[in-house]
Amino acid sequence: MTSIKNIAFIFLILGLQFAWSQEENQGYKKRILETTEVDFLTSYYSQDGDNAAVSGGKGTEELTDVTGTIIVSIPLNDDDVLTIDAGVSAYTSASSSNVDPFDKRSDADPFVASSGASQSDTWVNLTGSYSHSSDDRNDVWSAKFSVSSEYDYFSLGFGGSYAKLFNEKNTEASINANVYLDKWTTIYPFELRPFGNDGVGFFRPDEITGNSNYTPNFTELNKTNRNSYSLGLGLSQILHKNVQGLISFDIINQQGLLSTPFQRVYFSDVPNSFIENFQLADDIERLPDDRLKLALGGRLNWYLNEILTLRTYYRYYFDDWGVHSHTASIEAAAKLNDKFTLYPSYRFYNQSGADYFAPYEGHLSSEEFYTSDYDLSEYTANQYGLGVSYTDIFTKMHISKFGLKSIDLKFYQYDRDTTFSSSIITVGVKFVRD
């Protein structure tokens, strides 16, 4: 569920902006950030579907997640800014609850949530970043460090970036690099635990129907770490007084445990075993311990007039697991008046399936790698969004010594052609210190 929460969190921070400028003709160096800014961000996310990876490609994908984040940006002097970002995300998942579906409250069923410990979890994150700009504002350096944790996952991250402005600030080249060092606590499907190295767990052989000789060939994973390394390059150019373009290239390499330990797989050549209405796992998801991802993107922003601005984006992605994808999006910023702006948007996504994906009971036990996680399947998705922003540059409303600068409200509806759908509402409020 980490990837879902990481997606929700990305939506939350879309409203955060930084700007810099210089007034050379007056011999005055303007501060990068005039005063302390505080952003309060929150979201509510919900999803549903019928292809849960926890239960081998079938079953409920119902999940809800509530996230709260506070971002504090502090000017240390004219050139340097320190930003502290702290967030908490709490989710409840019918899907992940079926890591242990045998709660005896009701018959185990992949389409019914159990009351197991994995039904809910809390994710916490703390990120600190520091940025420095040169006197002429043509060079910007930044560094960051992050730590995040949840019930079965812990992550440390660090990285940095450099941006160079030239051609009278009409052109900007940038490079950024990040490293994430993650650690899993391996939690396996309940019925497989007695067959692991430690023999931990309670098994109920007298209740098995179907193939009563349930003896899965299960071995525990020998890796519990995941390291991710990313490098991004960008080049933006003002093409016209009303048009700005950007091209970007990203490369990511992941090494270590890239499968999820509690996601089941069912084989077509193994007889089925059941307890109540729940099919017992033939094995867990097995994926290679290395993955290389590449993405090439382009963005074009067009200022049509004082009322309307269009923002378009396209990205092509591919990796060495056989996944290829296309992303295209468009957003309009329609200024209603001096304070309110409307943001309708649309995003299209299409991807091919990974080499190692097959649906429920689509794999053979002789295969080396296998998954029934529909995030790695072939699918097409559409996302529709609508946002509204309120801005008061004079910060007339105050709470103590902080003035209200802006409020952003956005809603997104996401639908795949695999029965999966989700929606998210995000709210962001920015205050500035007087």
Side-chain angles (χ1 to χ4, degrees):
M1 298 306 165
T2 304
S3 60
I4 298 173
K5 290 181 281 189
N6 283 340
I7 291 173
F9 183 71
I10 290 173
F11 281 127
L12 289 178
I13 64 173
L14 289 176
L16 181 64
Q17 300 177 352
F18 295 93
W20 57 84
S21 62
Q22 181 185 24
E23 300 179 8
E24 295 179 350
N25 57 340
Q26 299 179 7
Y28 169 73
K29 182 171 66 174
K30 187 175 181 180
R31 293 170 66 92
I32 295 298
L33 187 66
E34 292 293 339
T35 186
T36 298
E37 295 184 350
V38 180
D39 287 78
F40 295 98
L41 309 171
T42 187
S43 74
Y44 175 79
Y45 172 88
S46 66
Q47 69 173 50
D48 204 357
D50 300 321
N51 303 114
V54 173
S55 44
K58 68 173 184 177
T60 178
E61 296 177 84
E62 183 181 354
L63 178 146
T64 59
D65 180 272
V66 178
T67 302
T69 303
I70 181 171
I71 303 171
V72 182
S73 301
I74 306 169
L76 303 179
N77 50 48
D78 289 350
D79 306 321
D80 303 318
V81 176
L82 175 66
T83 302
I84 305 297
D85 180 335
V88 177
S89 176
Y91 78 84
T92 300
S93 170
S95 171
S96 65
S97 72
N98 282 325
V99 172
D100 177 8
F102 311 110
D103 59 7
K104 296 186 177 181
R105 186 183 62 177
S106 60
D107 285 354
D109 190 298
F111 291 94
V112 177
S114 79
S115 58
S118 55
Q119 182 183 32
S120 60
D121 197 2
T122 300
W123 172 84
V124 294
N125 174 79
L126 179 65
T127 300
S129 61
Y130 169 84
S131 67
H132 171 79
S133 298
S134 61
D135 287 341
D136 60 7
R137 301 301 186 246
N138 287 331
D139 300 271
V140 183
W141 298 266
S142 69
K144 71 174 183 180
F145 176 80
S146 66
V147 57
S148 60
S149 177
E150 56 184 306
Y151 178 71
D152 62 340
Y153 206 76
F154 180 79
S155 176
L156 290 175
F158 52 92
S161 66
Y162 170 69
K164 176 69 175 180
L165 286 79
F166 51 95
N167 188 24
E168 297 183 346
K169 302 188 188 300
N170 290 317
T171 307
E172 178 181 333
S174 63
I175 181 172
N176 66 82
N178 294 283
V179 175
Y180 292 94
L181 307 175
D182 306 334
K183 180 77 171 179
W184 283 92
T185 298
T186 48
I187 299 173
Y188 300 108
F190 182 81
E191 66 271 26
L192 293 177
R193 296 173 194 175
F195 299 92
N197 299 338
D198 298 326
V200 177
F202 173 68
F203 189 51
R204 296 150 59 178
D206 56 322
E207 300 180 41
I208 294 178
T209 59
N211 175 31
S212 59
N213 184 29
Y214 178 64
T215 54
N217 185 22
F218 169 69
T219 57
E220 295 188 12
L221 297 165
N222 57 13
K223 293 185 178 181
T224 59
N225 68 296
R226 172 188 296 174
N227 298 338
S228 302
Y229 312 93
S230 67
L231 178 68
L233 304 173
L235 180 66
S236 67
Q237 175 67 46
I238 296 178
L239 305 172
H240 180 269
K241 65 178 182 179
N242 293 341
V243 181
Q244 182 187 42
L246 166 72
I247 57 174
S248 62
F249 174 74
D250 295 282
I251 180 170
I252 300 173
N253 179 239
Q254 293 181 297
Q255 301 173 1
L257 177 53
L258 305 186
S259 58
T260 303
F262 52 75
Q263 294 187 170
R264 293 174 174 86
V265 170
Y266 299 109
F267 300 129
S268 59
D269 57 342
V270 174
N272 297 338
S273 300
F274 296 85
I275 290 181
E276 296 166 352
N277 298 322
F278 200 94
Q279 186 174 344
L280 306 182
D282 293 329
D283 199 1
I284 61 171
E285 176 182 80
R286 308 276 181 178
L287 292 169
D289 59 6
D290 189 87
R291 188 179 187 183
L292 182 65
K293 306 177 181 181
L294 301 169
L296 181 65
R299 186 182 300 277
L300 192 67
N301 297 337
W302 186 10
Y303 176 83
L304 295 176
N305 50 49
E306 293 182 354
I307 297 177
L308 186 62
T309 299
L310 292 180
R311 301 163 181 163
T312 61
Y313 176 74
Y314 172 78
R315 186 189 74 159
Y316 174 68
Y317 164 93
F318 64 99
D319 62 34
D320 57 359
W321 285 10
V323 177
H324 298 255
S325 71
H326 302 271
T327 305
S329 67
I330 183 169
E331 180 184 65
K335 196 174 182 64
L336 304 180
N337 53 43
D338 291 341
K339 295 184 182 297
F340 289 95
T341 304
L342 201 63
Y343 296 95
S345 64
Y346 170 72
R347 177 179 177 268
F348 171 83
Y349 181 80
N350 172 266
Q351 80 169 33
S352 64
D355 297 337
Y356 316 114
F357 172 82
Y360 165 72
E361 290 197 333
H363 288 289
L364 295 173
S365 59
S366 58
E367 296 175 23
E368 181 181 8
F369 301 115
Y370 31 80
T371 178
S372 294
D373 185 346
Y374 272 70
D375 285 347
L376 293 172
S377 71
E378 178 182 358
Y379 68 86
T380 297
N382 297 279
Q383 177 180 279
Y384 305 89
L386 182 62
V388 61
S389 175
Y390 167 84
T391 303
D392 181 3
I393 60 174
F394 299 108
T395 61
K396 294 179 180 179
M397 296 178 60
H398 284 75
I399 297 179
S400 185
K401 296 182 179 180
F402 287 86
L404 176 63
K405 185 175 182 179
S406 64
I407 301 175
D408 293 283
L409 174 65
K410 293 184 179 180
F411 172 79
Y412 298 93
Q413 176 65 41
Y414 174 86
D415 296 291
R416 289 183 188 174
D417 59 2
T418 61
T419 76
F420 180 90
S421 64
S422 68
S423 59
I424 183 171
I425 298 175
T426 71
V427 180
V429 182
K430 181 188 289 291
F431 292 91
V432 296
R433 185 178 176 87
D434 292 339

